[in-house]
Amino acid sequence: MSEPQKLTLAVPSKGRLMERTLEYFADAGLEIKKSGSSRGYRGEMPAAPEADVVFMSASEIASALHHGRIHLGVTGEDLINEEAAEAKPMATPLKPLGFGEANVVVAVPKCWVDVRSMRDLGEVGFQFRKRHQRRMRVATKYTNTTRRYFTEYGIADYRIVESLGATEGTPASGTAELIVDITSTGATLAANALKILDDGVILTSEATLFAAKDADWPPHIRATENEILGKLGL
């Protein structure tokens, strides 16, 4: 396999996360311009011509970093953590960018008044299975993160319901008993009559520049990385 000719940097492809990322790089003298159509997914960085820019979803960036398909990428720590099935992220955080802050949390219905902690949840899980002859259901997009965190607390009486839509609505719809989801203010959880457990913040996340550990890093790619990081103050 031939070595890459240019460094590949991936940035978010839409929404406020894309806007803030482009603003952040532009403020550092690293303006990113889309190549061809404004709806395209390729870009360039005139101040660092030896770098190719690709626009991808934040989850795709996490996967590409994990598998070494890109060199640098901007995504959330929550997605990097989720991509690492065995708690061994294959991406190195280089710089938090100061936006996109959110927490991955364990949230249960507010009516569970006696459930305030993960220990309480473990006890409820045991009683729930005994009473209903099935495990309580946890709706989440963060399956690996959930399993690791629940294992830390010795919680086994649950099963994951993978959520593809609005996770916070699943307890009210009857498709899950509790959730693991990402939240920035907690307002949506409150609107759905959910509360975060006292020790239910699994991790805090924000948009971060990561480097892939398994990417091909020949000397000329390293030189381009150092040029970019230097402009970012690293």
Side-chain angles (χ1 to χ4, degrees):
M1 184 176 178
S2 60
E3 68 179 31
Q5 297 302 305
K6 290 187 174 185
L7 178 146
T8 301
L9 164 69
V11 297
S13 59
K14 60 182 179 180
R16 188 64 178 148
L17 197 57
M18 179 186 75
E19 294 171 2
R20 294 291 301 274
T21 299
L22 297 186
E23 289 170 3
Y24 189 93
F25 277 82
D27 288 345
L30 294 167
E31 182 183 8
I32 294 172
K33 299 180 178 180
K34 283 199 170 183
S35 303
S37 167
S38 62
R39 295 180 179 272
Y41 293 93
R42 308 290 300 187
E44 59 185 7
M45 189 182 288
E50 295 307 311
D52 281 333
V53 180
V54 294
F55 290 81
M56 307 168 70
S57 72
S59 58
E60 288 173 331
I61 293 172
S63 178
L65 285 164
H66 184 75
H67 293 97
R69 296 194 296 267
I70 59 177
H71 297 96
L72 301 175
V74 175
T75 189
E77 185 179 349
D78 59 309
L79 297 172
I80 292 294
N81 188 72
E82 175 61 22
E83 192 66 35
E86 298 180 359
K88 296 179 181 178
M90 296 305 294
T92 302
L94 299 178
K95 186 172 188 180
L97 305 185
F99 55 87
E101 296 93 341
N103 297 330
V104 178
V105 302
V106 183
V108 303
K110 287 182 179 178
C111 61
W112 291 16
V113 293
D114 293 329
V115 182
R116 300 184 181 89
S117 67
M118 291 296 292
R119 180 177 179 181
D120 295 337
L121 185 61
E123 293 175 359
V124 164
F126 175 76
Q127 295 299 329
F128 185 95
R129 185 175 185 183
K130 191 174 180 181
R131 178 180 301 173
H132 299 282
Q133 300 302 305
R134 65 175 176 85
R135 294 182 174 92
M136 60 184 180
R137 297 163 297 176
V138 183
T140 188
K141 300 178 182 72
Y142 297 93
T143 57
N144 293 325
T145 302
T146 299
R147 290 191 181 105
R148 285 196 295 268
Y149 197 66
F150 278 43
T151 296
E152 285 181 25
Y153 287 89
I155 299 175
D157 287 314
Y158 73 96
R159 70 180 179 89
I160 287 177
V161 178
E162 196 162 358
S163 172
L164 300 177
T167 304
E168 65 274 3
T170 55
S173 69
T175 56
E177 279 67 53
L178 65 147
I179 71 170
V180 171
D181 202 11
I182 194 161
T183 181
S184 54
T185 65
T188 303
L189 296 178
N192 284 274
L194 298 172
K195 64 180 181 180
I196 301 170
L197 297 182
D198 292 345
D199 52 357
V201 177
I202 299 178
L203 62 88
T204 59
S205 180
E206 68 179 285
T208 298
L209 178 64
F210 289 92
K213 294 180 181 179
D214 274 358
D216 193 354
W217 289 96
H220 67 282
I221 298 292
R222 285 293 186 193
T224 302
E225 180 198 28
N226 290 336
E227 179 184 354
I228 293 172
L229 297 186
K231 289 183 178 294
L232 292 174
L234 294 174

